[in-house]
Amino acid sequence: MTAAQIIFLITAAVILGSAFMVVTTKNLVHAALWLIVTLFGAAVLFATLNAGFIAVVQVVIYIGAIAILFIFAVMLTRRSMTDTGPGLNRGWWLSAAIALLTFGGLVWLVSGWGGFTKAAPAYPSGFDAVAALAHALVSPEAFVLPFEVASVLLLAALVGAVYIAFQRKGEE
Amino acid sequence: MQSDWTFIGLFLIVGALIPAAAIVVSALLSPRKPNPIKDSTYECGIETVGENWVQFKAQYYIFALVFLVFDVETVFLFPWALSLNQLGLFAVVEGIIFIGILVAGLVYAWRKGMLEWV
């Protein structure tokens, strides 16, 4: 077994174990924290697949932003953070069956693809994916306009969030 | 496997091992004579009041939202900042415009009093 395979197996075991903890733990805050472990495992998988930028984005967006949102949502909606409900509801077997079917269907679909059994191809030497992305983002022939429009979009999101929060504050 | 990620992986492993070792060694070496006052929760020397799992004030979520926007900004600026020395003046100005537009949003939130600690 190569080192890459050992790393993959450990990462996969951590992802599956923490994902199982997310759905079985009764404390919602603990579920959110286990979710961070799962997302970090996914970032490690991206890194082993030569997708360094995606791995960084996974850490910054999913662990940095989405997990914060989850924890804030739990903290703001629960009266006490020790609130626990039953872990299972009546439809648990149905959702388990759908999850298994989806997994089986995905495995069946992807195994038909030619790259399924191949390792991730290495970049040609001297090729820097992040630098190529940076050049594409700021060069006038490529995506400089979407790059600046993304800034305006983020500005709109920020102003919208402040506006909504301000309205709430006034109502109190 | 690239060597860069090997270093990051080693760093993560060592970074997890050092605090774990500190806790394990202190648990092994320290003498233990517990009494009720020693076992009580330490809160700046005052007796603790109420539960330790309390609900946070709802106003804090504006900080989360503002953080979120700048977190997404980081994703766009990350490749730009990493290859700043290979890019020309035009690219630097592009990035500064990008940051400037978002700073306008931050100034708006500031002027609205959203960044005040409540």
Side-chain angles (χ1 to χ4, degrees), chain B residues 53-85:
Chain B
W53 292 77
V54 294
Q55 197 188 21
F56 277 81
K57 265 189 167 179
Q59 282 100 322
Y60 288 139
Y61 83 97
I62 188 67
F63 295 102
L65 289 177
V66 174
F67 163 72
L68 212 67
V69 169
F70 284 93
D71 206 37
V72 177
E73 182 198 1
T74 311
V75 170
F76 287 98
L77 287 182
F78 173 71
W80 174 79
L82 267 188
S83 43
L84 199 59
N85 49 4

Short mmCIF file of all heavy atoms in Angstrom, two decimals, chain B residues 53-85:
data_model
loop_
_atom_site.label_atom_id
_atom_site.label_comp_id
_atom_site.label_asym_id
_atom_site.label_seq_id
_atom_site.Cartn_x
_atom_site.Cartn_y
_atom_site.Cartn_z
N TRP B 53 -24.40 26.72 29.38
CA TRP B 53 -24.85 26.73 27.99
C TRP B 53 -25.95 27.77 27.87
O TRP B 53 -27.12 27.45 28.01
CB TRP B 53 -25.39 25.37 27.59
CG TRP B 53 -24.38 24.30 27.51
CD1 TRP B 53 -23.82 23.63 28.55
CD2 TRP B 53 -23.79 23.76 26.33
NE1 TRP B 53 -22.92 22.72 28.09
CE2 TRP B 53 -22.89 22.77 26.74
CE3 TRP B 53 -23.95 24.01 24.97
CZ2 TRP B 53 -22.14 22.03 25.83
CZ3 TRP B 53 -23.21 23.28 24.08
CH2 TRP B 53 -22.32 22.30 24.51
N VAL B 54 -25.59 29.01 27.61
CA VAL B 54 -26.62 30.05 27.55
C VAL B 54 -26.82 30.47 26.11
O VAL B 54 -25.96 30.25 25.25
CB VAL B 54 -26.22 31.29 28.39
CG1 VAL B 54 -26.19 30.94 29.85
CG2 VAL B 54 -24.89 31.83 27.93
N GLN B 55 -27.97 31.10 25.85
CA GLN B 55 -28.23 31.59 24.51
C GLN B 55 -27.52 32.92 24.30
O GLN B 55 -27.51 33.77 25.20
CB GLN B 55 -29.72 31.77 24.30
CG GLN B 55 -30.07 31.86 22.84
CD GLN B 55 -31.50 32.23 22.62
OE1 GLN B 55 -32.14 32.79 23.51
NE2 GLN B 55 -32.00 31.93 21.45
N PHE B 56 -26.94 33.09 23.11
CA PHE B 56 -26.25 34.33 22.82
C PHE B 56 -27.23 35.39 22.37
O PHE B 56 -28.33 35.10 21.91
CB PHE B 56 -25.20 34.11 21.75
CG PHE B 56 -23.93 33.57 22.30
CD1 PHE B 56 -23.79 32.22 22.57
CD2 PHE B 56 -22.88 34.41 22.58
CE1 PHE B 56 -22.64 31.72 23.09
CE2 PHE B 56 -21.71 33.92 23.10
CZ PHE B 56 -21.58 32.58 23.36
N LYS B 57 -26.83 36.64 22.52
CA LYS B 57 -27.68 37.73 22.05
C LYS B 57 -27.83 37.68 20.54
O LYS B 57 -26.87 37.41 19.82
CB LYS B 57 -27.02 39.06 22.43
CG LYS B 57 -27.51 39.63 23.73
CD LYS B 57 -26.97 41.03 23.87
CE LYS B 57 -27.65 41.79 24.96
NZ LYS B 57 -27.09 43.13 25.08
N ALA B 58 -29.04 37.97 20.07
CA ALA B 58 -29.32 37.86 18.65
C ALA B 58 -28.52 38.85 17.82
O ALA B 58 -28.24 38.62 16.65
CB ALA B 58 -30.81 38.05 18.41
N GLN B 59 -28.10 39.97 18.44
CA GLN B 59 -27.39 41.00 17.65
C GLN B 59 -26.05 40.52 17.14
O GLN B 59 -25.53 41.07 16.18
CB GLN B 59 -27.16 42.26 18.50
CG GLN B 59 -28.38 43.12 18.63
CD GLN B 59 -29.03 42.87 19.96
OE1 GLN B 59 -29.07 41.74 20.43
NE2 GLN B 59 -29.53 43.91 20.59
N TYR B 60 -25.49 39.47 17.77
CA TYR B 60 -24.18 39.01 17.35
C TYR B 60 -24.17 38.49 15.93
O TYR B 60 -23.12 38.41 15.31
CB TYR B 60 -23.67 37.91 18.29
CG TYR B 60 -23.27 38.41 19.64
CD1 TYR B 60 -23.57 37.70 20.78
CD2 TYR B 60 -22.59 39.61 19.77
CE1 TYR B 60 -23.21 38.17 22.02
CE2 TYR B 60 -22.23 40.08 21.01
CZ TYR B 60 -22.54 39.36 22.13
OH TYR B 60 -22.18 39.83 23.36
N TYR B 61 -25.35 38.12 15.38
CA TYR B 61 -25.33 37.50 14.07
C TYR B 61 -24.93 38.49 12.98
O TYR B 61 -24.47 38.08 11.93
CB TYR B 61 -26.67 36.83 13.74
CG TYR B 61 -27.74 37.72 13.20
CD1 TYR B 61 -27.97 37.83 11.84
CD2 TYR B 61 -28.53 38.46 14.06
CE1 TYR B 61 -28.96 38.65 11.35
CE2 TYR B 61 -29.51 39.27 13.59
CZ TYR B 61 -29.73 39.36 12.23
OH TYR B 61 -30.70 40.19 11.74
N ILE B 62 -25.02 39.80 13.25
CA ILE B 62 -24.56 40.76 12.24
C ILE B 62 -23.05 40.64 12.05
O ILE B 62 -22.54 40.75 10.93
CB ILE B 62 -24.97 42.19 12.61
CG1 ILE B 62 -24.68 43.14 11.47
CG2 ILE B 62 -24.30 42.68 13.85
CD1 ILE B 62 -25.51 42.90 10.26
N PHE B 63 -22.34 40.32 13.12
CA PHE B 63 -20.89 40.12 12.99
C PHE B 63 -20.61 38.90 12.14
O PHE B 63 -19.70 38.90 11.30
CB PHE B 63 -20.23 39.98 14.37
CG PHE B 63 -20.32 41.21 15.20
CD1 PHE B 63 -21.26 41.31 16.21
CD2 PHE B 63 -19.51 42.30 14.94
CE1 PHE B 63 -21.36 42.47 16.96
CE2 PHE B 63 -19.59 43.45 15.68
CZ PHE B 63 -20.52 43.54 16.70
N ALA B 64 -21.43 37.85 12.34
CA ALA B 64 -21.26 36.64 11.52
C ALA B 64 -21.50 36.95 10.05
O ALA B 64 -20.77 36.50 9.17
CB ALA B 64 -22.21 35.55 12.00
N LEU B 65 -22.54 37.78 9.77
CA LEU B 65 -22.86 38.07 8.37
C LEU B 65 -21.76 38.90 7.72
O LEU B 65 -21.36 38.63 6.59
CB LEU B 65 -24.20 38.82 8.29
CG LEU B 65 -25.42 37.98 8.61
CD1 LEU B 65 -26.67 38.82 8.58
CD2 LEU B 65 -25.54 36.83 7.64
N VAL B 66 -21.25 39.91 8.45
CA VAL B 66 -20.18 40.74 7.89
C VAL B 66 -18.93 39.89 7.67
O VAL B 66 -18.27 39.97 6.63
CB VAL B 66 -19.89 41.94 8.81
CG1 VAL B 66 -18.68 42.72 8.33
CG2 VAL B 66 -21.10 42.85 8.88
N PHE B 67 -18.64 39.00 8.65
CA PHE B 67 -17.49 38.11 8.51
C PHE B 67 -17.63 37.24 7.28
O PHE B 67 -16.67 37.03 6.53
CB PHE B 67 -17.36 37.24 9.76
CG PHE B 67 -16.49 36.04 9.56
CD1 PHE B 67 -15.12 36.19 9.46
CD2 PHE B 67 -17.04 34.77 9.45
CE1 PHE B 67 -14.32 35.09 9.26
CE2 PHE B 67 -16.24 33.67 9.24
CZ PHE B 67 -14.88 33.83 9.15
N LEU B 68 -18.86 36.75 7.05
CA LEU B 68 -19.13 35.86 5.92
C LEU B 68 -18.77 36.52 4.60
O LEU B 68 -18.12 35.92 3.73
CB LEU B 68 -20.63 35.55 5.93
CG LEU B 68 -21.07 34.20 5.44
CD1 LEU B 68 -20.57 33.15 6.39
CD2 LEU B 68 -22.57 34.17 5.38
N VAL B 69 -19.19 37.80 4.44
CA VAL B 69 -18.92 38.51 3.19
C VAL B 69 -17.42 38.63 2.96
O VAL B 69 -16.91 38.37 1.86
CB VAL B 69 -19.60 39.89 3.22
CG1 VAL B 69 -19.12 40.75 2.08
CG2 VAL B 69 -21.10 39.74 3.17
N PHE B 70 -16.67 38.97 4.02
CA PHE B 70 -15.23 39.15 3.83
C PHE B 70 -14.52 37.82 3.69
O PHE B 70 -13.45 37.74 3.09
CB PHE B 70 -14.67 40.00 4.97
CG PHE B 70 -15.01 41.44 4.80
CD1 PHE B 70 -16.14 41.97 5.39
CD2 PHE B 70 -14.24 42.24 3.98
CE1 PHE B 70 -16.48 43.29 5.19
CE2 PHE B 70 -14.57 43.55 3.77
CZ PHE B 70 -15.70 44.08 4.38
N ASP B 71 -15.14 36.76 4.23
CA ASP B 71 -14.60 35.42 4.04
C ASP B 71 -14.66 35.02 2.56
O ASP B 71 -13.71 34.46 2.01
CB ASP B 71 -15.41 34.45 4.89
CG ASP B 71 -14.62 33.24 5.28
OD1 ASP B 71 -13.42 33.39 5.54
OD2 ASP B 71 -15.21 32.15 5.33
N VAL B 72 -15.80 35.33 1.93
CA VAL B 72 -15.94 35.01 0.50
C VAL B 72 -14.99 35.88 -0.32
O VAL B 72 -14.42 35.43 -1.31
CB VAL B 72 -17.41 35.20 0.06
CG1 VAL B 72 -17.56 34.95 -1.43
CG2 VAL B 72 -18.31 34.27 0.83
N GLU B 73 -14.80 37.13 0.13
CA GLU B 73 -13.84 38.01 -0.54
C GLU B 73 -12.45 37.38 -0.54
O GLU B 73 -11.70 37.45 -1.52
CB GLU B 73 -13.81 39.36 0.17
CG GLU B 73 -12.87 40.36 -0.49
CD GLU B 73 -12.54 41.51 0.43
OE1 GLU B 73 -13.02 41.53 1.56
OE2 GLU B 73 -11.79 42.40 0.00
N THR B 74 -12.09 36.71 0.58
CA THR B 74 -10.78 36.07 0.71
C THR B 74 -10.54 35.08 -0.42
O THR B 74 -9.43 34.98 -0.95
CB THR B 74 -10.70 35.35 2.06
OG1 THR B 74 -11.11 36.22 3.07
CG2 THR B 74 -9.31 34.87 2.33
N VAL B 75 -11.60 34.32 -0.78
CA VAL B 75 -11.45 33.31 -1.82
C VAL B 75 -11.01 33.95 -3.14
O VAL B 75 -10.17 33.42 -3.85
CB VAL B 75 -12.77 32.55 -1.98
CG1 VAL B 75 -12.73 31.66 -3.20
CG2 VAL B 75 -13.05 31.74 -0.75
N PHE B 76 -11.59 35.14 -3.44
CA PHE B 76 -11.20 35.81 -4.69
C PHE B 76 -9.80 36.42 -4.59
O PHE B 76 -9.06 36.44 -5.55
CB PHE B 76 -12.22 36.91 -5.03
CG PHE B 76 -13.51 36.36 -5.52
CD1 PHE B 76 -14.59 36.23 -4.67
CD2 PHE B 76 -13.65 35.96 -6.85
CE1 PHE B 76 -15.79 35.71 -5.13
CE2 PHE B 76 -14.84 35.45 -7.30
CZ PHE B 76 -15.90 35.32 -6.44
N LEU B 77 -9.48 36.92 -3.39
CA LEU B 77 -8.20 37.61 -3.25
C LEU B 77 -7.05 36.65 -3.04
O LEU B 77 -5.89 37.02 -3.24
CB LEU B 77 -8.27 38.60 -2.08
CG LEU B 77 -9.10 39.84 -2.34
CD1 LEU B 77 -9.06 40.76 -1.15
CD2 LEU B 77 -8.61 40.57 -3.58
N PHE B 78 -7.34 35.39 -2.63
CA PHE B 78 -6.28 34.43 -2.32
C PHE B 78 -5.36 34.16 -3.51
O PHE B 78 -4.13 34.33 -3.39
CB PHE B 78 -6.92 33.15 -1.77
CG PHE B 78 -5.96 32.03 -1.56
CD1 PHE B 78 -5.04 32.08 -0.53
CD2 PHE B 78 -5.98 30.92 -2.39
CE1 PHE B 78 -4.17 31.05 -0.33
CE2 PHE B 78 -5.10 29.89 -2.19
CZ PHE B 78 -4.20 29.95 -1.17
N PRO B 79 -5.89 33.79 -4.71
CA PRO B 79 -4.98 33.58 -5.84
C PRO B 79 -4.30 34.88 -6.28
O PRO B 79 -3.13 34.89 -6.65
CB PRO B 79 -5.89 33.02 -6.94
CG PRO B 79 -7.25 33.38 -6.56
CD PRO B 79 -7.27 33.47 -5.07
N TRP B 80 -5.02 35.99 -6.18
CA TRP B 80 -4.47 37.30 -6.54
C TRP B 80 -3.27 37.65 -5.66
O TRP B 80 -2.21 38.06 -6.13
CB TRP B 80 -5.58 38.34 -6.41
CG TRP B 80 -5.15 39.75 -6.59
CD1 TRP B 80 -4.91 40.39 -7.77
CD2 TRP B 80 -4.93 40.72 -5.55
NE1 TRP B 80 -4.55 41.70 -7.53
CE2 TRP B 80 -4.56 41.91 -6.19
CE3 TRP B 80 -5.02 40.68 -4.17
CZ2 TRP B 80 -4.26 43.06 -5.47
CZ3 TRP B 80 -4.73 41.82 -3.46
CH2 TRP B 80 -4.36 42.99 -4.11
N ALA B 81 -3.45 37.43 -4.34
CA ALA B 81 -2.38 37.79 -3.40
C ALA B 81 -1.19 36.85 -3.54
O ALA B 81 -0.05 37.28 -3.38
CB ALA B 81 -2.92 37.76 -1.97
N LEU B 82 -1.45 35.57 -3.84
CA LEU B 82 -0.35 34.60 -3.93
C LEU B 82 0.57 34.90 -5.11
O LEU B 82 1.76 34.66 -5.05
CB LEU B 82 -0.91 33.19 -4.06
CG LEU B 82 -1.09 32.41 -2.77
CD1 LEU B 82 -1.46 30.98 -3.08
CD2 LEU B 82 0.17 32.45 -1.94
N SER B 83 0.00 35.39 -6.21
CA SER B 83 0.83 35.62 -7.39
C SER B 83 0.95 37.11 -7.69
O SER B 83 1.05 37.51 -8.84
CB SER B 83 0.25 34.87 -8.58
OG SER B 83 -1.14 35.01 -8.61
N LEU B 84 0.96 37.91 -6.63
CA LEU B 84 1.01 39.36 -6.81
C LEU B 84 2.30 39.80 -7.48
O LEU B 84 2.31 40.72 -8.29
CB LEU B 84 0.87 40.02 -5.43
CG LEU B 84 0.46 41.49 -5.41
CD1 LEU B 84 -0.87 41.67 -6.10
CD2 LEU B 84 0.36 41.97 -3.98
N ASN B 85 3.43 39.11 -7.15
CA ASN B 85 4.70 39.55 -7.72
C ASN B 85 4.87 39.15 -9.18
O ASN B 85 5.75 39.66 -9.85
CB ASN B 85 5.87 39.04 -6.87
CG ASN B 85 5.75 37.57 -6.60
OD1 ASN B 85 4.83 36.92 -7.10
ND2 ASN B 85 6.66 37.04 -5.81
#
